[in-house]
């Protein structure tokens, strides 16, 4: 004989409700960081473990996959140069080789130098080809008219598959450029495999070190937007040419606070 159902017993909840959410879960709407993931007993939930493995695979792919030039550049004219790192394995193991041009690439750029230019742009997959593929074209479309409005001359961007930031100094020297600007794929995070960075250096030299550079980071749809990145870069370029400095001597906030032609009181402090 079946036992009668006790009305005091609660019905079995749906499967999604069997795993309680941590009370911090509301914070997750504000960040991609892995916080307040909740738990299943004393363990992480299966869906969170799988999401971590997927993001880790995307980050590895961003580092190792070969850049799709058509996706990255489209109809944009560019010059291809090579660093002295012959392949991805050497590039990752020998950062110093990624900072140097091959003699052939250096000679090719010198032959095109003529009287020089104001700015030499170098594009590199760096540590994330995904970042360059997704972000270079829309960023360049925003930047091109801004460069024209500043009255700056520039050579076609140079692309180096296995390039580090300092390779831009060598490119600028070969092209007789007064400024080096490097657009490069940044080291991918588990929530940001597509982040592009910009490094700007006034009067680059073969032995320039990183304190002489200004960095604009996290350029991507989910980070710093293209229009804001262009505005920041143009402000820094304008002030770098006006003052003859970059890096620690030129602050981003101060450069943005000044419009074209305004006094440089804050920058001089």
């Amino acid at each position: 004989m079946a036992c009668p159902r006790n009305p005091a017993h609660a019905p079995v909840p749906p499967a999604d409700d069997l795993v309680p959410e941590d009370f911090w879960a509301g914070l997750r709407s504000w960040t991609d960081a892995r916080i307040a993931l909740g738990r299943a007993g004393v363990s992480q939930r299966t869906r969170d473990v799988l999401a971590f493995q997927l993001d880790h695979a995307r980050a590895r792919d961003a580092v190792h996959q070969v850049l799709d030039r058509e996706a990255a550049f489209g109809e944009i004219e560019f010059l291809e140069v090579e660093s002295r790192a012959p392949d991805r394995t050497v590039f990752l193991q020998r950062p110093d080789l990624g900072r140097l041009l091959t003699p052939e690439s250096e000679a090719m750029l010198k032959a095109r130098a003529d009287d020089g230019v104001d700015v030499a742009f170098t594009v590199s997959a760096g540590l994330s080809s995904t970042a360059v593929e997704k972000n270079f074209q829309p960023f360049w479309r925003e930047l091109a008219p801004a460069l024209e409005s500043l009255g700056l001359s520039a050579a076609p961007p140079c692309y180096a598959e296995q390039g580090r930031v300092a390779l831009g100094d060598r490119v600028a020297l070969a092209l007789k450029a007064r400024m080096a600007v490097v657009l490069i794929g940044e080291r991918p995070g588990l929530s940001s495999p597509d982040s592009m960075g910009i490094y700007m250096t006034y009067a680059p030299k073969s032995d320039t070190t990183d304190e002489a550079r200004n960095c604009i980071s996290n350029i991507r749809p989910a980070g710093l937007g293209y229009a804001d990145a262009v505005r920041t870069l143009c402000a820094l370029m304008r002030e770098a040419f006006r003052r003859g400095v970059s890096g620690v001597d030129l602050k981003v906030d101060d450069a943005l606070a000044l419009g074209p032609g305004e006094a440089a009181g804050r920058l001089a402090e």
Side-chain angles (χ1 to χ4, degrees):
M1 180 176 179
C3 296
R5 182 179 178 181
N6 187 335
H9 291 167
V12 176
D16 287 347
D17 293 334
L18 290 175
V19 180
E21 291 283 347
D22 192 289
F23 73 99
W24 291 100
L27 287 177
R28 286 194 294 168
S29 63
W30 297 95
T31 178
D32 290 332
R34 283 175 164 76
I35 62 171
L37 295 181
R39 59 187 174 84
V42 297
S43 303
Q44 288 183 313
R45 297 175 297 186
T46 300
R47 69 187 187 207
D48 295 325
V49 173
L50 293 177
F52 175 87
Q53 292 175 342
L54 176 60
D55 286 344
H56 187 263
R58 286 171 173 162
R60 288 179 59 87
D61 286 347
V63 172
H64 291 286
Q65 71 184 11
V66 177
L67 182 133
D68 183 336
R69 288 159 175 75
E70 178 62 29
F73 293 95
E75 299 300 319
I76 299 170
E77 178 189 1
F78 69 97
L79 304 173
E80 185 151 4
V81 298
E82 294 181 343
S83 76
R84 296 189 189 181
D87 54 48
R88 205 63 176 163
T89 299
V90 175
F91 170 78
L92 294 172
Q93 295 175 346
R94 292 284 306 274
D96 57 314
L97 296 181
R99 301 182 184 115
L100 301 172
L101 284 169
T102 61
E104 296 79 9
S105 292
E106 187 173 5
M108 180 269 290
L109 294 177
K110 286 182 176 179
R112 298 178 60 102
D114 296 325
D115 295 328
V117 291
D118 293 320
V119 189
F121 288 92
T122 302
V123 184
S124 176
L127 292 174
S128 174
S129 57
T130 304
V132 177
E133 286 182 12
K134 290 186 175 181
N135 299 306
F136 175 74
Q137 276 201 72
F139 174 81
W140 191 261
R141 286 195 293 267
E142 292 273 354
L143 178 63
L147 279 178
E148 187 175 349
S149 67
L150 288 175
L152 296 176
S153 61
C158 295
Y159 171 67
E161 178 76 21
Q162 318 295 355
R164 299 281 178 171
V165 171
L167 189 74
D169 300 338
R170 304 287 178 157
V171 170
L173 289 171
L175 290 172
K176 300 179 183 177
R178 300 166 60 201
M179 174 180 286
V181 176
V182 177
L183 296 88
I184 192 167
E186 296 183 314
R187 180 179 289 105
L190 289 175
S191 61
S192 57
D194 59 343
S195 179
M196 185 175 75
I198 296 176
Y199 292 82
M200 184 204 79
T201 310
Y202 179 80
K205 301 178 177 61
S206 60
D207 58 352
T208 296
T209 48
D210 287 343
E211 87 286 345
R213 313 186 198 282
N214 290 91
C215 176
I216 306 170
S217 185
N218 197 31
I219 300 168
R220 60 192 183 105
L224 182 65
Y226 305 126
D228 286 337
V230 166
R231 174 173 170 264
T232 302
L233 176 61
C234 287
L236 286 169
M237 293 170 71
R238 183 190 67 235
E239 292 306 312
F241 278 119
R242 188 176 64 81
R243 296 193 59 212
V245 295
S246 61
V248 296
D249 294 320
L250 181 60
K251 306 302 182 186
V252 172
D253 290 343
D254 286 337
L256 286 171
L258 296 174
E262 292 187 43
R266 290 183 63 196
L267 285 167
E269 294 175 357

